[in-house]
Amino acid sequence: MALFEYFPNYIWNLSVAIAMESGGRIGEIVDMCQPIRDAAASGADAGTPQFMAQWVAMGDKLIELAGEDEAKGRAISASNKLERAALYLFTAERMQGHGHPGRQATYAKARETFDRSTVLGKINRERAEIPLEKGTMPALFTRAPGEGPHPVVVYCNGLDSCKELLYWSRLPEALARRGVSTLCVDQPGSGEALRLQDLPVDPHSESWASKAVDWLEQQADVDPKRIGMTGISLGGHFAPRAVAYEPRFASGAAWGANHNWREVQDRRLQREGENPVPHYWAHVMWAFGAKNMDEFLEKSKGMNLNGHMDRIRVPFLVAHGAQDRQISVSYAEDLYEQLENSPRREKVIFTAREGGVEHVGADNMSYGRDCIADWFAETLGGRTA
């Protein structure tokens, strides 16, 4: 496999890979991981407090160093360090079980650090709060340069990511270079919507994706006729579902074809495939607002795209890693075949020849990022050169 496998279990290695692909520095990552290598041998769940302690310590050190830069008037350097500090803090928080001591405080510090970095570095990401039927959907808006109106892509989370990790996937940057803006959202069941508002997953993603379109239509530099949607990991359910039921979307893409996630849960109960986070079953019950396993399994029945994809009548891209250890590549085949009414459908399976073979390109996100950015540039009227 192409994944950097420092630890003896997939879940810890996945977190390290995500951090590396999101801008972490290898020397800092080695310094954090060396003291806890033995702790990972007891399984993905057992050593997560030690994981958190090491990664928070590195985040705190970088915050201190950023403060020294800021005192010298070196705001850009301070921002660079705060970016990595926030990344390490978000990674530490993501690895903990729901209600774990220190998780809430670590998340708050990560958000504060991220926001401070945005200001100091004058980074192209504007915070937004999109009204929902209940609560709000926090978001980050990255604007394409130059005079608009520009096309825009709504970019949603998977099961365990957050809008900050979406930004660090560099897809918003890649799209901006192509003349396309991006709205990264913490939809219900993820990020702030889950952690601060207790908004659970809604399998009918059009209910909140439509609110994102409503908000975008009010932005002066957005072309309302050129709005697309994509999602990463479990977003490979949410994005196709939303495009199927929200007619204002002009194009769509799935980065990881989560075509029948409900079926995946049955397989995970049989210990088939890898989990994305430690304390997996506690996490999914939290995300879905379920009190127990039976309630979760009932609520997750809607996480199935069979019978819905014939509603998509706009261009749609399916991108998937050939060696995805979480979601079978067969689901990419299912999704693609069911796009029977799309006027332009495309399937890209990343192989060992180029890389990006793991789940949503955890081994190398550059191929998926460029592929999806080019797709939206072509289908929404951006540029590829």
Side-chain angles (χ1 to χ4, degrees):
M1 296 294 181
L3 200 70
F4 177 59
E5 306 206 48
Y6 185 84
F7 292 112
N9 71 72
Y10 170 84
I11 295 176
W12 285 40
N13 290 327
L14 180 65
S15 282
V16 170
I18 291 170
M20 290 173 66
E21 287 295 303
S22 300
R25 307 267 44 99
I26 187 64
E28 292 168 349
I29 288 173
V30 169
D31 285 348
M32 292 184 287
C33 291
Q34 276 185 336
I36 57 174
R37 194 167 190 174
D38 291 342
S42 299
D45 295 357
T48 53
Q50 293 97 307
F51 188 105
M52 185 180 207
Q54 290 297 322
W55 287 61
V56 168
M58 180 62 75
D60 287 343
K61 183 177 78 170
L62 286 166
I63 292 170
E64 181 180 336
L65 292 170
E68 295 173 9
D69 283 337
E70 190 177 357
K72 297 174 184 176
R74 298 171 179 171
I76 295 174
S77 292
S79 174
N80 289 340
K81 293 179 178 66
L82 291 174
E83 284 289 283
R84 300 200 307 279
L87 170 61
Y88 299 152
L89 292 167
F90 278 120
T91 302
E93 187 269 350
R94 176 184 170 276
M95 285 282 285
Q96 308 309 305
H98 177 45
H100 184 276
R103 182 171 192 175
Q104 185 174 5
T106 301
Y107 183 71
K109 184 187 292 185
R111 288 185 55 244
E112 179 184 359
T113 304
F114 183 89
D115 291 346
R116 183 63 179 157
S117 176
T118 303
V119 172
L120 287 176
K122 299 181 180 179
I123 298 173
N124 179 16
R125 57 192 189 209
E126 173 189 331
R127 183 180 173 86
E129 295 274 350
I130 297 168
L132 300 176
E133 292 297 328
K134 178 183 178 182
T136 65
M137 183 163 60
L140 297 170
F141 192 35
T142 297
R143 300 178 187 272
E147 294 185 6
H150 297 288
V152 62
V153 172
V154 178
Y155 185 18
C156 73
N157 285 314
L159 175 69
D160 49 275
S161 56
C162 57
K163 64 187 180 302
E164 293 82 5
L165 284 171
L166 294 182
Y167 178 83
W168 284 321
S169 74
R170 308 300 171 193
L171 181 59
E173 178 183 327
L175 285 166
R177 292 182 66 190
R178 292 161 172 81
V180 182
S181 300
T182 308
L183 184 70
C184 300
V185 299
D186 273 345
Q187 78 270 10
S190 69
E192 289 183 53
L194 175 64
R195 288 160 175 79
L196 303 184
Q197 300 184 58
D198 292 324
L199 298 180
V201 169
D202 183 353
H204 299 166
S205 52
E206 65 275 13
S207 63
W208 48 262
S210 295
K211 300 299 184 182
V213 177
D214 291 343
W215 185 87
L216 288 168
E217 288 182 334
Q218 303 305 311
Q219 308 307 306
D221 60 346
V222 167
D223 184 344
K225 301 298 184 184
R226 295 189 290 162
I227 300 176
M229 181 162 184
T230 191
I232 196 165
S233 191
L234 192 54
H237 165 89
F238 298 128
R241 167 84 196 198
V243 174
Y245 284 91
E246 171 47 75
R248 290 175 292 176
F249 283 122
S251 180
W255 196 351
N258 247 305
H259 188 74
N260 190 345
W261 192 75
R262 177 62 183 82
E263 185 174 74
V264 171
Q265 305 319 296
D266 293 332
R267 293 178 176 179
R268 284 179 174 162
L269 284 169
Q270 302 301 318
R271 300 182 181 273
E272 295 181 20
E274 296 283 2
N275 293 336
V277 289
H279 319 285
Y280 178 75
W281 295 111
H283 182 88
V284 294
M285 285 188 277
W286 174 40
F288 277 76
K291 298 181 179 66
N292 53 50
M293 182 66 76
D294 288 342
E295 188 175 342
F296 160 67
L297 292 174
E298 181 63 30
K299 289 189 173 193
S300 65
K301 283 183 178 179
M303 303 296 291
N304 183 352
L305 296 177
N306 286 314
H308 300 283
M309 294 299 93
D310 60 340
R311 297 177 60 96
I312 292 181
R313 290 175 169 81
V314 297
F316 203 94
L317 167 70
V318 180
H320 203 95
Q323 299 174 39
D324 190 324
R325 286 184 256 181
Q326 293 186 45
I327 305 297
S328 170
V329 70
S330 66
Y331 287 122
E333 307 290 342
D334 293 341
L335 177 54
Y336 176 78
E337 290 300 325
Q338 292 177 29
L339 294 168
E340 57 191 55
N341 292 317
S342 170
R344 177 182 173 183
R345 59 177 176 172
E346 187 171 332
K347 176 181 62 181
V348 177
I349 306 298
F350 299 108
T351 69
R353 177 174 178 265
E354 65 274 358
V357 301
E358 291 279 356
H359 185 64
V360 296
D363 55 309
N364 187 339
M365 297 187 82
S366 65
Y367 292 100
R369 177 170 60 236
D370 284 345
C371 177
I372 292 170
D374 285 339
W375 171 262
F376 283 118
E378 292 170 358
T379 58
L380 295 177
R383 59 180 180 271
T384 57

